[in-house]
Amino acid sequence: MADSIMFHDGNRALQDRFDSRRISDRLEAKLTRTAFTADDKAFIESAIYFFLSTADAEGRPDCSFKGGPAGFVRVTGPSELAFPDYDGNGMFKSLGNLAVNPHVGLLFIDMHERPRRLRVNGTAAIGRDDPLLKQTAGAQMIVRVAARAIFPNCPRYIPKLALVEPSAYVPRPGCAPVEPAWKGFDDFKDHVHPRQPTA
C-alpha cells in the first residue's frame, strides 16, 4: 500500500479484523527507518549470526542461518549492509533464490547479552568481484543488501542463552579451513564440489 513501507493488504485486513491498525501505524511511524542508526550498526557488526529469508521466482520461501566472526556483516552505507558467502553444501538455496528474486528479509537476534532483535527488509545483489572479498577471509562472494525497511521487534519471547564456544568452521585469516565431517561420509564424498579459492 502507498501509505506504508511495512504493510500490504493482507497485513491491513488482519490489523482491521483485530483492531490493531492504530498500534501498527504508530510502531511503523516511531520505529521503522530506511537508514541505519549508529546503534543499528554496532548491533549488526557485533553479530555472529543472523537468519536470512529468501524466495524463489514463484515466491516459495526459504530461510537459512548465516554465521561468522563478529564483524562478518558490515554496514557499508546509510541504507546498505554486506555479508560474505562462505563455503557451504553447494546447493546455493539462498543465493540461487537471490539470482531470480532479489527480495530478502534479515533477522538479527541477540540471545546472549540482552534480548534484542532487528529486522532488515530489502533487495540483495551478489558480487563475485566485490572489493570486500579481499578483506574477508574465506568468502566466495559478497552479498550487498539495500534496505527498504529497518525495524526493531519486541524481544519478549527471546530466551537468554549462553555462548559455549564459537564454531570451529568460521573462517579465520591465515588459517586453513576446517572441513565438516559430512564431506567425508560415504554417501557424499565422491560428489562434493571442490572448495573455491577465496580472498
Side-chain angles (χ1 to χ4, degrees):
M1 296 187 68
D3 66 330
S4 171
I5 62 170
M6 291 273 289
F7 308 124
H8 54 69
D9 290 343
N11 304 131
R12 290 306 198 188
L14 287 167
Q15 290 166 10
D16 291 343
R17 180 176 177 188
F18 290 95
D19 194 24
S20 66
R21 186 186 279 243
R22 287 168 301 166
I23 189 61
S24 299
D25 286 346
R26 186 71 171 167
L27 288 166
E28 180 178 16
K30 289 294 183 181
L31 300 178
T32 304
R33 46 200 173 265
T34 57
F36 295 106
T37 66
D39 193 46
D40 294 338
K41 182 179 186 324
F43 179 47
I44 289 168
E45 293 184 351
S46 70
I48 59 172
Y49 62 85
F50 70 94
F51 298 91
L52 175 66
S53 176
T54 62
D56 66 15
E58 295 178 26
R60 293 175 297 197
D62 190 66
C63 186
S64 63
F65 174 92
K66 299 295 181 185
F72 85 110
V73 184
R74 303 173 200 189
V75 173
T76 52
S79 301
E80 183 188 80
L81 62 75
F83 62 89
D85 173 61
Y86 294 130
D87 178 68
N89 57 23
M91 291 193 297
F92 291 103
K93 294 289 290 171
S94 298
L95 270 59
N97 281 349
L98 295 182
V100 297
N101 180 348
H103 298 285
V104 294
L106 288 72
L107 176 60
F108 294 88
I109 304 179
D110 184 352
M111 296 187 227
H112 311 288
E113 297 300 321
R114 64 182 176 106
R116 182 176 180 189
R117 59 184 176 174
L118 183 71
R119 294 181 185 228
V120 179
N121 292 343
T123 54
I126 306 162
R128 290 243 10 170
D129 299 318
D130 194 289
L132 284 179
L133 278 171
K134 293 182 179 143
Q135 305 168 30
T136 311
Q140 301 182 111
M141 292 176 265
I142 297 291
V143 178
R144 289 189 183 258
V145 176
R148 178 182 53 79
I150 304 159
F151 54 105
N153 258 150
C154 174
R156 77 176 102 169
Y157 298 115
I158 299 174
K160 190 164 186 181
L161 305 176
L163 177 64
V164 176
E165 63 184 12
S167 170
Y169 301 98
V170 170
R172 290 169 178 80
C175 296
V178 178
E179 294 291 356
W182 69 266
K183 287 187 175 184
F185 293 170
D186 288 340
D187 287 343
F188 305 118
K189 66 182 181 183
D190 294 333
H191 303 279
V192 173
H193 60 290
R195 185 179 282 272
Q196 299 298 305
T198 60

